[in-house]
Amino acid sequence: MARSLSLGRECGTPRSGLGKGGPPHPQGPQARCALGRRCTVSEKCRCPRPGWTMTPPWNVVKIAIQMRDAIPQLIQLDQAKPLAAVLKEVCDAWSLTHSERYALQFADGHRRYITENNRAEIKNGSILCLSTAPDLEAEQLLGGLQSDSREGRREALRRLVPLASDMTFAREVISRNGLQRLGTIIEDGDDLGEVLALSLRAFLELMEHGVVSWETLSIPFVRKVVCYVNMNLMDASVPPLALGLLESVTLSSPALGQLVKSEVPLDRLLVHLQVMNQQLQTKAMALLTALLQGASPVERKHMLDYLWQRNLRQFIYKNIIHSAAPMGDEMAHHLYVLQALILGLLEPRMRMPLDPYSQEQREQLQVLRQAAFEVEGESSGTGLSADRRRSLCAREFRKLGFSNSNPAQDLERVPPGLLALDNMLYFSRNAPSAYSRFVLENSSREDKHECPFARGSIQLTVLLCELLHVGEPCSETAQDFSPMFFGQDQSFHELFCVGIQLLNKTWKEMRATQEDFDKVMQVVREQLARTLALKPTSLELFRTKVNALTYGEVLRLRQTERLHQEGTLAPPILELREKLKPELMGLIRQQRLLHLCEGTLFRKISSRRRQDKLWFCCLSPNHKLLQYGDMEEGASPPTLESLPEQLPVADMRALLTGKDCPHVREKGSGKQNKDLYELAFSISYDCGEEEAYLNFIAPSKREFYLWTDGLSALLGNPMGSEQTRLDLEQLLTMETKLRLLELENVPIPERPPPVPPPPTNFNFCYDCSIAEP
C-alpha cells in the first residue's frame, strides 16, 4: 500500500537505507539519492521515496468539469486562485474564447452557480459543469418571456424555474425587472395551465430570497392570485402555488393579509382541505393558519368556532391524521400551529385572577361547593344564621382543598387564574361521580393524608399549561402536535379530568402527606410528560397509558435512565474515576495556564461606572510574569515586548473575588453592582513594604472562571470553580467510557474477586539461568 508524505516533510529515513523494499541512500557529502538529488550526510533526506505518494496541499481539490459535447476535464482546483483565472484555464483547455461569458455550476442538486462565497463547498470528487454566465442566462430567459409564441414562453419558464432558487441567478433576474414580467403573465391570466403554474412557481422562488419585500406587491396582483384560489381550475398544480403565495403575503404584510382574509372565504379553504390531494391540503392548511395568526384574539375565536361548527376538527382527525398516506413535515408543522392557536384561546383566562367582588365568580365557587357536599340546613329548609352559614362554607371549602377559608385568595395566583376554576367546574359537571368520589374520599382520610382537590387542581392547571406551552409564541419549525387534541372537543379540560384523577391515584400510591405535595406533583408531571411524548392518538389511549405508568414504574424508569447516562456506580468504577482525577486535573490546569498565556482584553471600570478604557493582560510563556498594559479599541493583541507593566508571580499573595475585591467594595447593592461582583477578581501582591492590588473585571462568566482557576493554579491553590467541576466531570465520563469499551456487556462485580491462596510449592517456575540448547 502506498504511504502518504506531505510536501516538504522529512521522511525520517536515515542515509543507510529505507528499510524493507527501499533503495539505500548513497553516502558522502556529494552523493545523490535515488531520485538524483544531492543529499548530505548531516541531514535527513526530504526526497519522496519510490512507491510513496505526495499528498496535495489542503487548499487543492481534485474535481471533474464537464460540458455538453466535450470530453470532461479532470483538474486540481486551487482554492486560493481567483475564479476568473480558473475559468480562463478551463475555457482555454476547450479552446473557448471570452471566458467572462461562462460560469461554473454544481452538476447535481439545484445546479447552483459557484461564486467566491460558496466555493468552499467544492470537495474532492465534486463534479462541476461549465455553463452560461448568470447575467447572460437571465437576459436570455427574460427575453424568452416576451416571446409572441406560447411555446417560447413555456420553454423559457421551464428553464427559469430550476435556476430561480439560486441566489446569484435570482439577483440578476430581479435587477432586470424579472419579477414585473412574471407578475404581468400572472395578472393577464391568458393561459391557466402550465404557463401560469410555472410563472407562479418562479415568482415564489424569486421572492423567497428576500431581495424584494412582499409588501411591495400591488393590490390588483394579490386579488388576481385570490381569484385562482377561489375558482375551479382544470390544472391541479395552480391552486397549491396560489395558496402558497397568499400564505407568504399574509405572514409578511398585515395590510395585504387583511385583503386576503376578506377575499378568501373560510368555506373555500375547507373545500380545498377536503380534496384528497396532500399538496393542496397542506397549502390550504398553511394559509388557514396564517390567517388565524394574523387575526385578533376575538376574530380568531370566531373563526375557530365557525371552523369547528363546519366539522374541521373531525375531518383533520379522520382524513389527515389517520390518512393511509404518511403525513409530511409541513402538514405536521401547520397542525402544531393550529393546536397552539387553539390552546392560545385559554391564555386570557389563565392570565386573569379571580375577582372577589364578581357575583358570577362567587356563584361559580358556590356551585363547585354544592356539587360536592350536601347543603346543610338549606336542603332541609331550616334557617341558618349568617355566622353559621359562613362557618359552614369555610369548612367545606377547606375540605375541597383550598388553602384559605376564602377560596378567592387561592385563585388570585396567575397563572393559572380563572382557568383553574374553569377546569374544576368542567370536572364537576362532566364527571360528577368521579368528582364527588375524589372529594368525599379525601375528606374521610386521616389528617394530613388527604389529597387537596383545589390545591391540586390549581397546580395541575399550571403544569398542563407548561407542558402544552399555553400562551407561548409558535415555533417556526416545530412539528410537535398531539393527535388526541383533534379527537374531541374541549381537549384541554378533558386532559385535566384525566390528570386530576391521576393525581389522586399517584397520591395514594406514594402514601403522601401534605408535606409531600410538591414531590407528588413532580411525579405527576413526569407521568403526563412521558405519556404525551408517546403521542397517543385518542384520549382513551392516553388514559390507559398514563394509568399504566404507576409510581413504581416511574422510579424504575428513573433508575434505568440514570444508570444509562452516568454509567454503573460500582465501586471499581468509582475507584477508577478517583485514579484518573489527578491526571485530568493536571490537564485542566495546563489548559487554564495556556489560556492565561494567550491573554484577555479587559475593561477598566471608572468611579462613574464607565467602561471606555481597555487593557490587556497575559501570562509569560515561562509562567513567571503577568504582563499587562493599556490598548486602544479595535487594536490587534499586543506582543509581550510591547506590554510595559510586569508583575512577578513570586510576589503574588492571594486571589480575591466578588465583594472582597477593593475596586468593587462599598459600591452599593444595585443590580449593576451585583453583576460586577460576579465578574470581579483581584490579585494582591507585595509592592515594597505595602500590599497592592491588580484589579480585574472579566468580560464574561467563562473568562472569570478560566482566569481565577489559572491564578489559583499559579498560587498553588485548588481550582474550585464551577467550570472546573463541569470540565472534570466531562473528562472523567469520556475517559471512563474509553477505558471500559472492551468491557461492554460484561458485568462488573461490586467487589473484586478473592485472591486465591498461594500454591503449596513453586516447582512450576521457569529458571531463566538455564540456557536452552
Side-chain angles (χ1 to χ4, degrees), residues 553-564:
E553 183 67 13
V554 170
L555 292 180
R556 188 188 67 79
L557 290 173
R558 285 178 177 178
Q559 179 71 7
T560 303
E561 291 175 355
R562 185 176 63 85
L563 293 177
H564 178 71

Side-chain angles (χ1 to χ4, degrees), residues 15 26 52 64 84 110 115 144 313 346 374 438 507 553 562 572 585 593 602 620 648 662 666 770:
R15 284 293 180 270
W52 292 24
H110 297 288
T115 64
R313 179 189 62 77
L346 303 172
E374 289 288 339
F438 186 113
W507 186 281
E553 183 67 13
R562 185 176 63 85
M585 284 300 294
L593 295 178
F602 296 94
S620 63
E666 298 178 358
I770 302 176

Side-chain angles (χ1 to χ4, degrees), residues 105 109-113 137-138 141-142 145 152-167 169-170 173 182 185-186 193-209 237 241:
Q105 289 179 297
H110 297 288
R111 299 182 68 88
R112 290 180 298 121
Y113 281 99
E137 187 73 17
L141 293 180
L142 292 179
L145 294 183
R153 294 195 300 271
R154 183 184 291 112
E155 184 60 30
L157 286 167
R158 286 174 179 171
R159 292 172 55 192
L160 176 62
V161 167
L163 293 173
S165 59
D166 183 79
M167 184 64 169
F169 178 79
V173 173
L182 289 171
I185 297 176
I186 295 171
E194 185 182 5
V195 170
L196 178 59
L198 291 172
S199 301
L200 288 169
R201 191 183 304 277
F203 192 90
L204 272 170
E205 292 285 357
L206 293 173
M207 290 294 294
E208 287 298 328
H209 293 290
S237 61
L241 294 169

Side-chain angles (χ1 to χ4, degrees), residues 692-709:
Y693 298 93
L694 182 62
N695 301 317
F696 299 80
I697 297 291
S700 65
K701 198 67 176 177
R702 175 176 172 79
E703 287 290 336
F704 174 82
Y705 288 145
L706 295 179
W707 271 84
T708 52
D709 283 342

Side-chain angles (χ1 to χ4, degrees), residues 765-773:
C765 290
Y766 180 77
D767 189 355
C768 298
S769 63
I770 302 176
E772 296 183 359

